[in-house]
Amino acid sequence: MSVLLEATGVAVEYHRQGAAPLRAVDHADLTLARGEILGLVGESGCGKSTLGRAVVGLQRTAAGEIRFDGRPVAPLGLRRRPAGMRGLQMVFQDPYASLNPRRLVGDQVGDGYLLGGTTKAEARRRAGELLERVGLPADAVRRYPHEFSGGQRQRIAIARTLAAEPSCIIADEPISALDASAQASVANLLVELVRELDMGMVFISHDLSVVRQIADRTAVMYLGRVVEVGPTRQVWSEPAHPYTKALISAVPRADGGGVLPVELPGDVPDPSRPPGGCRFHPRCPVALPSCAENDPPLTILRDGRSAACVLAK
Amino acid sequence: MTVGTLLEVEDLTVWLATRNGPRKAVDGLSFRVDAGEVFGIAGESGSGKTMTAMALLGLLPHAARTGGRAVFEGRDLLAMRPRELRDVRGRSIAMVSQDPSTSLHPMLSIETQVTEHMRHHLGIGRSEARGRAVELLSTVRIPDPERALKAHPAQFSGGMRQRIAIAVALACEPRLLLADEPTTALDVTVQAGILRLLDRLRRERDLAVVVITHDLGVMSAVADRICVMYGGRTAEIGPRETVLTHPRHPYTRGLLDALPHPEGGAATLRPIPGSPPSLGGVPEGCPFHPRCAFAVDSCRAERPDPAPVGSGHRVACPPDPLGGTA
Amino acid sequence: MTTGSRTPWRQPLALVGAAFVVLWVLVAVLAPVLAPYGPLDQIADKLLEPSAQHLFGTDQLGRDVLSRVIYGAQVSLPLAFLLVALSAVIGSVVGAVAGFFGGWVDGTLMRLADLVFAFPGIILAMAVAAALGPELRNAVLAVVVVSWPSYARLVRGLVMSARNSEYVAAGRLLGSSSVRTMIVDLRPNVAGPVLVMAALDVGNAVLLLSGLSFLGLGAQPPMAEWGSMVVSGMDYFDLWWLWLYPGLSILTVVLAFNFVGDTLRDALDPRTARAIRG
């Protein structure tokens, strides 16, 4: 499989007045192949959304390189995005914020075609087709976003990205703002589209069970860094990083067993002052004395797996 | 574990005012909660689970009406005057809500918020209240409770804030804690901590907890008995293990099937087709019939009441299509 | 905006406001037909009390007060509309540029606006009008100078919040340039609130213009302008018809546009139009 998207050593800093810059993402690596779904998981504040925004160019990076289809991704400025970058699109978390409340659905979905150089009438016709493709009635083109439910809005937002004929979609928590019943169907739609159109997708989520179900590979982030990547099945069955292990055993199972999930003691440290050495060592149940000093890089193990832990084999 | 029934809800009905007149948000709900028990109410948004909690606390919106009875320690909560209810609420019944950033006051110190109810309901002095607050904070595992008392909510993470909200709820040693989606806004590792805390409190303090959540994983972890609600009505009610491993209502089955499978594999999720009814849009007959794969003619006409199918297990599905597979 | 926009207009104040706006616009347009006499014609004895002949009486120069009030609408309303339009356009452009580009552009433009905000409107307008010379045209300019910053602030806020919104980000990712984004995505969000502010401002403009005329800095005699009519009527305070009728005209116009502005705000608010989710 060919590499579609590659991020190496990406860092993102937020500059705050009168305080040290906050490194929301620090030295994160990601690769995505065509036709692949990569699940990016981690708890709030780990930098997964920031990394997602940096990858499409919505966030300026402080270090590292991002390449899409072999070309470097430049942060979005005042100018138009280069045409070659249109294949890299994003689906946002909140479909109430990601659609303009005062523009017709058809105009918003048709934008992608219009900006690709088709006529207005043609853009509207094809917007109707796209809306049908994502499971909405064709007359949705003449309606406003507020007339739709959360799940339907997210379908509209997905249709809008499809108008740019993308080869890669970054989906930032695309189902977490939706009702339980809409979550599954929107996730299914995304998976279906990725398979059918042979795209790649980075599926960013805090919901581990959904990622486990749909992702080919899973990347786990902790405190701004990717600490483990590998084929989803292996990452789940034998996690290499202690944080991955803690995360997985914290997910309660609906098996009626009455088993309390395992607690990970301590709080996530302040990202502006990450602990020295391995970032996870203060909470790590198996930390060695040396972990407080040496910061392990993401190292390739075997079977396409990598982990950033000295104990990982 | 059963020491006695603490709360007995019978035929609870809640009408909410809508543009088209009053509509039933909760329709004939009956359940009981024993002391020291964790009772779970599961359902999607709009199933009436939050309105049930609000009705018990007397916190329904204006123009809402209630029917039925909710007997708590021998007294009917629904028949109480606002003044009496205010006394029960906060003292014998306490509540923890989904979002600790809105349930805690951002400008008041933790000390003020934890001691306020103690001093009001129990009539104890400042220094005694302070001592109990320190104890409470260490019960909910807030590190350095003395210092935490002087801090403000913004200085804590979401998980710590939820722990503080629980401490506030426990201030007057309530007998019953209503927890409405207490972990939905939290990360999984933090959620695990809160679930363990609730479990410990019920064991150590003989506290009854009603957990309201859409997350069947959370249910499975903490609840002793579960009530599954749909369209304001009980679909199924029974012991945790029975309901989650041998569900008899097609809706419960559907909810479980919609969960990502523990072993992965299937590659797609299996949602229940359609969407839950809105307030006032609950169909005739069984509220679930339009989405049910097993619906027969009688489901469209008659509204089923939960009927016993096993020990403590009641199901509102007369055709009982899953009965054979149990 | 489809279903919810009907109800706000059914409120009594909205109806009264709309009725008065329509009435005054008709009066202004049809002034030559409606007015029994010309505004400057000295057709009768001085200072006659209201009678069947002269419904609003006559003034100190023997002019028919009713006719002058009617012609006054022809002066005040078009000028008010013109200067509100000018302020709204200037303010919106400044605000949009400041909000969209941010940084030093924003800093400079907004400090300028703050400078204007630092003085009470009427005082600054007086200063400007006095500096330019007492003339109606200069009074209009003075009012524009004091009223554009409100629009600039409003539009800047709207543009800034919309600029960081996800739908603008999505549009940019699709390849939309910043100028196209501003026009296509931000314009509909800005147009409604600006329209509401403008409607509310028409009343203010009438009041400011009359105020300047009242102070002798706007319309000059013998022009039939309500503010200057009130001030010349003040010399004969017990002859109430001289100042009451032009005063009432100002009052009704100001109130009517305020009611209409409030109603517009309710009608254009997406929250009132948004379906209630169950």
Side-chain angles (χ1 to χ4, degrees):
Chain A
M1 282 197 278
S2 62
V3 172
L4 186 63
L5 184 72
E6 189 170 24
T8 26
V10 172
V12 177
E13 282 180 355
Y14 289 116
H15 292 273
R16 302 164 303 168
Q17 225 145 32
L22 186 152
R23 280 221 154 182
V25 177
D26 190 9
H27 235 85
D29 304 325
L30 276 187
T31 57
L32 180 73
R34 201 170 256 281
E36 181 186 52
I37 298 175
L38 172 69
L40 181 57
V41 300
E43 296 182 281
S44 41
C46 72
K48 55 187 190 301
S49 289
T50 308
L51 178 58
R53 293 175 67 87
V55 163
V56 293
L58 285 177
Q59 187 74 53
R60 200 166 279 279
T61 54
E65 198 188 26
I66 299 158
R67 297 182 85 83
F68 167 67
D69 245 350
R71 274 174 294 220
V73 177
L76 214 55
L78 290 172
R79 288 163 189 280
R80 278 182 72 139
R81 210 167 175 231
M85 286 296 138
R86 272 167 47 96
L88 180 58
Q89 289 296 328
M90 183 154 192
V91 175
F92 297 88
Q93 170 171 359
D94 182 1
Y96 289 84
S98 66
L99 294 173
N100 190 335
R102 295 185 192 269
R103 287 185 67 206
L104 288 173
V105 164
D107 290 343
Q108 301 193 54
V109 173
D111 259 357
Y113 289 126
L114 208 56
L115 291 160
T118 55
T119 63
K120 222 167 180 160
E122 175 73 1
R124 186 166 266 221
R125 189 183 62 73
R126 288 168 73 178
E129 286 173 9
L130 271 186
L131 286 166
E132 281 187 326
R133 170 69 195 80
V134 299
L136 290 169
D139 74 339
V141 288
R142 285 185 304 276
R143 288 154 72 183
Y144 285 94
H146 69 76
E147 298 173 52
F148 297 91
S149 70
Q152 291 174 317
R153 285 175 187 225
Q154 197 61 295
R155 289 169 187 271
I156 295 170
I158 291 168
R160 177 182 55 193
T161 63
L162 293 181
E165 288 159 2
S167 54
C168 180
I169 289 183
I170 311 292
D172 182 10
E173 300 268 13
I175 61 171
S176 25
L178 309 181
D179 273 343
S181 52
Q183 287 195 347
S185 53
V186 169
N188 282 345
L189 172 68
L190 281 169
V191 172
E192 221 178 275
L193 290 169
V194 169
R195 303 292 184 225
E196 192 183 299
L197 305 172
D198 196 32
M199 296 189 279
M201 173 162 77
V202 178
F203 189 91
I204 302 173
S205 179
H206 70 281
D207 188 338
L208 286 100
S209 15
V210 169
V211 167
R212 178 181 195 183
Q213 188 85 12
I214 66 170
D216 303 311
R217 286 194 309 136
T218 299
V220 181
M221 276 186 86
Y222 182 74
L223 213 58
R225 191 164 295 184
V226 175
V227 294
E228 176 162 6
V229 197
T232 303
R233 198 175 280 268
Q234 278 93 314
V235 169
W236 277 79
S237 55
E238 37 165 340
H241 196 283
Y243 177 65
T244 313
K245 199 169 176 174
L247 206 54
I248 289 169
S249 36
V251 180
R253 290 174 160 226
D255 55 6
V259 181
L260 284 167
V262 179
E263 185 178 356
L264 176 64
D267 248 347
V268 179
D270 181 358
S272 60
R273 279 171 299 154
C278 170
R279 306 179 151 223
F280 187 56
H281 87 265
R283 304 172 77 193
C284 181
V286 294
L288 304 172
S290 65
C291 290
E293 275 141 41
N294 307 325
D295 190 4
L298 190 65
T299 318
I300 296 171
L301 306 171
R302 69 199 129 70
D303 308 332
R305 303 186 61 180
S306 327
C309 176
V310 287
L311 294 168
K313 299 178 288 295
Chain B
M1 162 168 325
T2 306
V3 207
T5 300
L6 187 66
L7 172 71
E8 174 111 47
V9 174
E10 256 177 77
D11 206 22
L12 173 70
T13 303
V14 176
W15 288 270
L16 294 182
T18 69
R19 226 177 265 181
N20 309 316
R23 290 284 182 270
K24 282 181 185 174
V26 179
D27 182 7
L29 188 69
S30 300
F31 62 88
R32 60 154 224 285
V33 183
D34 294 334
E37 176 186 49
V38 178
F39 182 73
I41 301 179
E44 294 170 276
S45 56
S47 64
K49 55 192 201 305
T50 297
M51 281 306 147
T52 303
M54 292 299 159
L56 296 179
L57 288 161
L59 294 176
L60 286 170
H62 273 292
R65 286 187 302 119
T66 55
R69 299 194 315 143
V71 180
F72 174 75
E73 292 185 319
R75 297 200 293 164
D76 186 359
L77 294 172
L78 302 181
M80 276 185 192
R81 275 196 294 267
R83 216 191 143 76
E84 290 174 279
L85 195 59
R86 258 206 308 274
D87 238 32
V88 173
R89 183 171 70 216
R91 184 162 182 181
S92 308
I93 304 182
M95 173 148 189
V96 174
S97 59
Q98 172 172 345
D99 188 356
S101 53
T102 56
S103 64
L104 293 175
H105 194 295
M107 306 302 282
L108 297 177
S109 72
I110 303 298
E111 174 167 359
T112 313
Q113 304 195 46
V114 180
T115 58
E116 189 184 20
H117 295 282
M118 280 185 217
R119 298 182 58 197
H120 177 250
H121 286 289
L122 308 177
I124 57 176
R126 179 180 290 264
S127 60
E128 192 189 344
R130 197 187 146 80
R132 293 176 72 150
V134 171
E135 249 173 73
L136 270 177
L137 289 185
S138 54
T139 304
V140 299
R141 303 261 160 88
I142 297 286
D144 200 355
E146 296 272 359
R147 235 181 70 196
L149 282 183
K150 292 194 198 75
H152 287 77
Q155 289 163 267
F156 296 92
S157 65
M160 286 295 156
R161 277 205 288 261
Q162 193 61 297
R163 282 169 189 268
I164 293 167
I166 292 174
V168 172
L170 294 177
C172 299
E173 309 206 334
R175 305 274 291 133
L176 177 68
L177 184 67
L178 294 180
D180 187 6
E181 302 274 6
T183 59
T184 306
L186 305 174
D187 282 315
V188 276
T189 59
V190 181
Q191 164 174 282
I194 298 287
L195 295 180
R196 288 186 158 252
L197 172 63
L198 289 176
D199 186 65
R200 187 160 55 82
L201 290 172
R202 93 36 196 268
R203 274 186 287 108
E204 287 174 3
R205 306 189 155 220
D206 203 29
L207 176 73
V209 184
V210 173
V211 175
I212 295 170
T213 179
H214 70 282
D215 187 333
L216 294 180
V218 168
M219 278 298 162
S220 172
V222 293
D224 299 310
R225 289 188 304 119
I226 297 174
C227 171
V228 180
M229 284 185 77
Y230 187 82
R233 295 177 66 84
T234 304
E236 178 161 11
I237 184 168
R240 172 195 67 229
E241 204 181 336
T242 319
V243 171
L244 293 181
T245 55
H246 300 293
R248 290 280 280 273
H249 197 287
Y251 177 59
T252 318
R253 177 81 266 165
L255 281 181
L256 286 165
D257 287 344
L259 294 176
H261 196 268
E263 305 315 321
T268 53
L269 303 149
R270 284 191 287 165
I272 305 175
S275 50
S278 58
L279 188 64
V282 181
E284 290 290 304
C286 170
F288 186 58
H289 83 257
R291 303 173 70 190
C292 182
F294 304 101
V296 294
D297 281 348
S298 65
C299 300
R300 286 176 256 281
E302 285 153 42
R303 186 149 283 198
D305 281 316
V309 294
S311 153
H313 190 190
R314 288 183 293 141
V315 179
C317 184
D320 198 17
L322 305 175
T325 62
Chain C
M1 237 173 290
T2 44
T3 49
S5 60
R6 292 176 62 94
T7 29
W9 290 106
R10 297 221 177 107
Q11 311 257 329
L13 282 186
L15 287 176
V16 171
F20 267 95
V21 166
V22 171
L23 183 77
W24 275 119
V25 169
L26 283 179
V27 167
V29 172
L30 302 177
V33 184
L34 291 175
Y37 308 99
L40 306 177
D41 301 348
Q42 301 179 2
I43 35 75
D45 289 341
K46 296 174 202 171
L47 305 172
L48 289 177
E49 276 196 40
S51 62
Q53 186 78 46
H54 301 285
L55 283 174
F56 288 5
T58 59
D59 70 1
Q60 65 275 29
L61 297 175
R63 296 173 295 198
D64 182 56
V65 175
L66 174 62
S67 305
R68 283 178 65 77
V69 164
I70 288 173
Y71 275 100
Q74 236 182 9
V75 177
S76 291
L77 287 183
L79 281 182
F81 283 126
L82 173 73
L83 68 87
V84 165
L86 273 177
S87 323
V89 168
I90 295 171
S92 300
V93 169
V94 170
V97 168
F100 198 84
F101 292 98
W104 65 266
V105 177
D106 179 34
T108 314
L109 291 173
M110 284 303 116
R111 286 306 80 71
L112 203 64
D114 288 345
L115 204 66
V116 176
F117 269 120
F119 300 96
I122 185 77
I123 307 266
L124 186 63
M126 275 167 62
V128 175
L132 294 173
E135 215 182 304
L136 192 54
R137 197 191 59 194
N138 295 343
V140 170
L141 278 177
V143 178
V144 171
V145 166
V146 301
S147 51
W148 69 267
S150 328
Y151 294 92
R153 267 202 187 172
L154 173 77
V155 170
R156 171 179 176 266
L158 290 168
V159 167
M160 281 181 87
S161 66
R163 188 186 63 161
N164 295 324
S165 74
E166 290 184 341
Y167 56 80
V168 165
R172 297 299 313 277
L173 289 178
L174 290 172
S176 178
S177 68
S178 24
V179 173
R180 182 182 183 276
T181 305
M182 191 130 98
I183 294 168
V184 171
D185 260 324
L186 305 187
R187 199 209 50 207
N189 300 355
V190 168
V194 167
L195 192 66
V196 171
M197 188 181 248
L200 289 168
D201 229 17
V202 172
N204 273 339
V206 169
L207 201 59
L208 265 175
L209 269 182
S210 309
L212 287 177
S213 303
F214 181 91
L215 295 166
L217 293 166
Q220 298 302 315
M223 187 181 240
E225 201 278 341
W226 295 335
S228 58
M229 286 168 75
V230 171
V231 72
S232 47
M234 296 295 279
D235 296 340
Y236 308 84
F237 195 75
D238 47 340
L239 306 179
W240 48 271
W241 61 90
L242 290 186
W243 46 265
L244 181 69
Y245 292 115
L248 275 179
S249 310
I250 297 172
L251 182 77
T252 49
V253 167
V254 172
L255 280 181
F257 276 99
N258 271 306
F259 292 156
V260 167
D262 277 338
T263 313
L264 263 181
R265 168 159 51 211
D266 292 345
L268 293 179
D269 187 344
R271 271 168 303 185
T272 53
R274 193 166 290 165
I276 297 159
R277 300 178 65 239

